[in-house]
Amino acid sequence: MSDCLTDTDTDTDTDTDTPATTTDSPAPARAVAAAEPAIWSRNFRYWFTARSAGLLSWAMLPVAVSAGLVGSGRGLDTAGYAMAFLVGPFAGLVLFGGVLADRFTARRMMIVADLANLAAHVLLAVLFLHGIDHLWQLYALLAVAGTANALFQPGASSTVPLIARDVQGANGVLRTSEAITGLGGPALAGVLVGFGSTGWVMAISALAYATSASCLFALRLGKVPAPPAGDGLWRNLVVGWREFRARSWLWGVILIWMFYAVLAWGPQLSLAAGLIVPRYGATAFGLVNCALGAGTVVGGLIAIRWKPVRPLAAGAVAMFAYPLYPLALALDAPVWLLAAAQVCVGAGIGVWGVMWATSVQTQVPGEVLNRVHAYEVAGSVGLYPIGSALAGPATHAFGTTSVLLAGLAVSVLSAAALLLARPIRTLTRIPDRAVPDRAVPDPI
């Protein structure tokens, strides 16, 4: 984690990313020297540090804000509104983040996003340490954080092919880091809020974003593909949509995932909490969710080495593990069995996530990758809140067990649909290739 502060490599290249006007590259351009390691190059170490720091801060934020508001006497409705102001701008603006990342380069937009998050978290620290007199100040700062993440997220996908020759292995490492920070972030936030205050959590988060911005500034990527000069914002969005729609394997997965998010993934967390907490306690619920993160780490580690010829088909097979958890919940399984099911689910999700990310990053041309990734995020994640919101009414109308079994059936059908769809099933992996020469250096 110290790579952003000191670097002992002999690499003295000073290239920085500058948009090129290439429009016909078959896959994202890579700016990694062929002599460098397949994964742990100088650039990848900087990126790994930046991404891990940002993910840790993002994982801490909801827990810290919610706990801080409730602990200060604010109602649960205030905490709910706060999360809406955090997530809403992200969902609404991520498409524009993709356009801006393609036009001005992902690295620049991610640095801007980190600096905006740094400023927002410093002000959040002051706000919580001083005391919240006006809720609109909190909501405004959370909206800034959500907007910053909408600017950052599209570039997170297109950066990986630029810094690692082994794109799938790099995604496996990053998926493992994401799982670990997803486990540790909320726990760390909870401990810090318990022993100190939310303000200090915000200060630590600000330091994490400063670390991320510093590491991103140290990246040397050379020229990267960009849209033709002169195209407007809406034209860029339209081109991104056309590229997304032109790939049946891509929109096919997102279409299946939309049903899965609303009917299976979205309702599951609240349904599980409603069953586990009254029966076994909040600690057991936390342990069961930790098991999911542990399984995701396992899946990420597996995907670093396992490189099937048909990655999406392999990932779809791994997703057949998902129904184990709702099945265990429906059968009133003991905590140890619920945890075991979650480990299997996490491993399946980890493998699928790496196979999917690698396929998108290597199959989509670099000059439209950020926009296509933005459409992917909006379609796959955007409907999750709907499924979560419908969990309560559906439970009241049909009963918890019925909703769980419906989600189980949908998850099985979703994995089967991924395998039955020929464009998804037959998509072949692009092997690791030698990396083209670096571009002529350009100033940031």
Side-chain angles (χ1 to χ4, degrees):
M1 297 294 284
S2 61
D3 288 321
C4 59
L5 301 178
T6 60
D7 186 37
T8 57
D9 286 6
T10 57
D11 184 358
T12 58
D13 184 19
T14 58
D15 292 4
T16 54
D17 58 323
T18 297
T21 56
T22 305
T23 59
D24 57 355
S25 64
R30 296 176 178 81
V32 186
E36 290 183 344
I39 298 177
W40 290 100
S41 64
R42 171 187 180 275
N43 271 337
F44 183 80
R45 294 199 303 273
Y46 280 123
W47 172 246
F48 176 83
T49 305
R51 195 72 181 118
S52 297
L55 287 170
L56 179 65
S57 182
W58 182 250
M60 289 195 298
L61 183 59
V63 173
V65 171
S66 299
L69 288 172
V70 174
S72 63
R74 305 280 182 176
L76 291 175
D77 55 341
T78 302
Y81 293 142
M83 292 304 99
F85 276 97
L86 177 65
V87 177
F90 175 83
L93 298 175
V94 68
L95 291 179
F96 296 97
V99 171
L100 295 174
D102 273 333
R103 178 157 295 281
F104 299 109
T105 78
R107 173 173 167 268
R108 289 171 179 166
M109 294 310 303
M110 289 188 294
I111 291 174
V112 169
D114 276 343
L115 294 177
N117 257 321
L118 169 61
H121 281 74
V122 168
L123 294 175
L124 282 168
V126 172
L127 192 63
F128 276 102
L129 290 171
H130 176 269
I132 302 173
D133 296 324
H134 304 287
L135 284 173
W136 69 264
Q137 297 171 337
L138 172 66
Y139 296 154
L141 291 174
L142 291 175
V144 171
T147 301
N149 280 279
L151 296 178
F152 189 102
Q153 182 60 40
S157 177
S158 64
T159 300
V160 178
L162 296 170
I163 59 175
R165 289 187 288 117
D166 182 357
V167 178
Q168 181 177 318
N171 279 315
V173 172
L174 293 169
R175 174 67 65 167
T176 302
S177 173
E178 181 181 351
I180 293 173
T181 54
L183 279 171
L188 178 61
V191 170
L192 291 174
V193 171
F195 284 96
S197 72
T198 300
W200 291 112
V201 178
M202 296 299 105
I204 293 172
S205 292
L207 179 61
Y209 282 116
T211 301
S212 178
S214 300
C215 291
L216 290 173
F217 191 82
L219 289 179
R220 298 295 181 259
L221 301 180
K223 290 185 181 293
V224 296
D231 283 356
L233 176 66
W234 293 107
R235 171 64 180 170
N236 290 157
L237 279 174
V238 169
V239 171
W241 170 251
R242 288 176 180 170
E243 294 287 343
F244 175 83
R245 190 181 60 183
R247 292 164 175 81
S248 55
W249 63 269
L250 182 61
W251 62 256
V253 169
I254 298 304
L255 182 62
I256 294 169
W257 211 262
M258 289 168 70
F259 286 97
Y260 167 77
V262 173
L263 300 175
W265 179 35
Q268 182 167 281
L269 182 63
S270 55
L271 291 175
L275 289 173
I276 296 174
V277 174
R279 188 176 303 158
Y280 301 113
T283 301
F285 182 62
L287 290 174
V288 168
N289 283 287
C290 284
L292 176 67
T296 306
V297 171
V298 172
L301 293 174
I302 291 172
I304 292 174
R305 293 292 183 182
W306 183 40
K307 296 180 179 179
V309 176
R310 297 182 177 182
L312 295 186
V317 171
M319 282 299 293
F320 275 107
Y322 187 89
L324 293 176
Y325 185 51
L327 178 61
L329 288 170
L331 295 177
D332 295 331
V335 172
W336 70 267
L337 191 55
L338 292 172
Q342 281 286 65
V343 170
C344 295
V345 171
I349 291 175
V351 169
W352 165 261
V354 172
M355 300 301 171
W356 170 248
T358 303
S359 297
V360 174
Q361 292 162 5
T362 56
Q363 300 278 351
V364 177
E367 64 272 13
V368 294
L369 179 55
N370 292 306
R371 282 169 285 172
V372 168
H373 178 60
Y375 278 108
E376 169 213 335
V377 171
S380 60
V381 179
L383 293 184
Y384 171 82
I386 296 177
S388 182
L390 291 176
T395 300
H396 290 304
F398 306 107
T400 302
T401 302
S402 296
V403 177
L404 277 174
L405 293 177
L408 186 156
V410 169
S411 61
V412 171
L413 292 174
S414 297
L418 291 171
L419 284 175
L420 291 173
R422 190 175 184 276
I424 299 171
R425 183 182 70 252
T426 59
L427 186 75
T428 56
R429 187 177 75 88
I430 293 180
D432 301 335
R433 295 190 297 258
V435 180
D437 293 336
R438 289 177 183 261
V440 178
D442 282 293
I444 189 170

